[in-house]
Amino acid sequence: KALSAVEDLLTDAESRVRAEAAAGLIRCGGPEASRRAWPVLMEMVSSEDTETRITAARAVGQVGSKEFTEMGRVGRINPEHPVNPCSLDFQGLLLKLLRDNVAAVRVAALRAAEEVTCPEAIPVIVQMLAEDRMYEAAAHALVTYGDEVVEPLRQATSSPQPGGAPG
């Protein structure tokens, strides 16, 4: 009954409620609940509404967290189980949000990037260091990736800039 009540929240008018319901179902609801919740989260990431995308970024950070994906990798969640976080494309959702055209969505995505293991996001985040509005959030997100960022940062600072001079 509790899962059914939470699943009903996937259609709530308020995006925050839908996001929290989706995150909870993906993390704790089992395979069938996860299958119902995942499309809601994907739809929210693609929404035309800025606040909905910001809310979706927060949910991606919750359900794609390093702790949760590590549970899948070390076998505490069955790798064949459809709710296995390693099988869901949190990274794809995160990358889409990091490339959003609205700064507030990108900032929320950077905060999510602190929680989601996504090496593919590192070059995107490194590029965001050049944006004044993104610098602080991008730097904070990169710190959480540790040594993985050294080479992308080295490449970015040695790449020729638009004027022809190295960065």
Side-chain angles (χ1 to χ4, degrees):
K1 282 193 170 206
L3 280 179
S4 178
V6 175
E7 286 177 4
D8 289 345
L9 297 175
L10 292 172
T11 59
D12 195 272
E14 196 169 324
S15 64
R16 183 183 54 78
V17 174
R18 289 193 314 273
E20 292 293 332
L25 289 168
I26 291 168
R27 285 185 71 119
C28 306
E32 196 56 41
S34 181
R35 276 193 220 98
R36 287 193 195 104
W38 184 248
V40 172
L41 190 55
M42 288 178 15
E43 181 182 308
M44 291 180 71
V45 167
S46 299
S47 173
E48 291 190 17
D49 180 65
T50 300
E51 281 304 313
T52 298
R53 294 192 314 276
I54 290 169
T55 301
R58 291 181 188 131
V60 167
Q62 289 175 2
V63 296
S65 72
K66 292 173 179 130
E67 172 190 329
F68 188 52
T69 54
E70 187 61 23
M71 286 173 61
R73 269 194 215 93
V74 298
R76 284 185 271 166
I77 298 174
N78 181 340
E80 303 303 317
H81 197 280
V83 77
N84 179 0
C86 298
S87 69
L88 299 177
D89 188 17
F90 297 111
Q91 293 88 355
L93 295 182
L94 178 64
L95 288 167
K96 182 172 182 151
L97 291 161
L98 286 169
R99 293 180 175 122
D100 198 277
N101 60 351
V102 175
V105 175
R106 291 193 311 271
V107 168
L110 285 166
R111 289 189 182 120
E114 296 173 21
E115 301 299 325
V116 177
T117 302
C118 183
E120 296 85 1
I122 294 172
V124 177
I125 298 170
V126 167
Q127 289 176 345
M128 295 170 90
L129 290 170
E131 297 178 56
D132 288 341
R133 292 186 289 179
M134 298 295 126
Y135 181 82
E136 187 175 333
H140 198 272
L142 287 172
V143 167
T144 66
Y145 284 86
D147 292 342
E148 289 182 73
V149 303
V150 173
E151 190 55 34
L153 282 170
R154 188 175 289 133
Q155 290 174 359
T157 57
S158 66
S159 298
Q161 298 301 310

